[in-house]
Amino acid sequence: FDVAKNAGEGFEAGAALVAEALLQSPHFLYRIEKETGGNGGFRTVDDWEMASRLSFFLWGTTPDDALLTAARQGELVDANKLQVHVQRLLAD
């Protein structure tokens, strides 16, 4: 807000700058799962996380029943089965 205030702008301009900064932040744009252990490394996503990522990325909403079933059965860690689900989501 200080940038807008110092430039003679009002509250709305300051709020717009905050919203702009938020929307450009990689922490807002990307979901990155970090290892919960002490080493700070990254980890492979599990089936449930993959189902969520695919659905939100390709459909913009929660996973459907078929994707949840695939996650429950552990299919989304298999590259071939994952490709089948990706193709299904893209074809919709």
Side-chain angles (χ1 to χ4, degrees), residues 18-66:
V18 170
E20 183 178 328
L22 173 74
L23 294 173
Q24 291 179 16
S25 169
H27 300 290
F28 177 79
L29 294 173
Y30 304 105
R31 290 187 54 207
I32 298 174
E33 288 80 10
K34 292 188 177 182
E35 187 67 41
T36 56
N39 68 2
F42 297 99
R43 65 177 174 80
T44 305
V45 297
D46 65 20
D47 287 276
W48 298 102
E49 293 164 330
M50 183 60 73
S52 178
R53 283 182 171 208
L54 282 175
S55 186
F56 279 103
F57 178 69
L58 296 174
W59 282 352
T61 189
T62 57
D64 64 354
D65 289 338

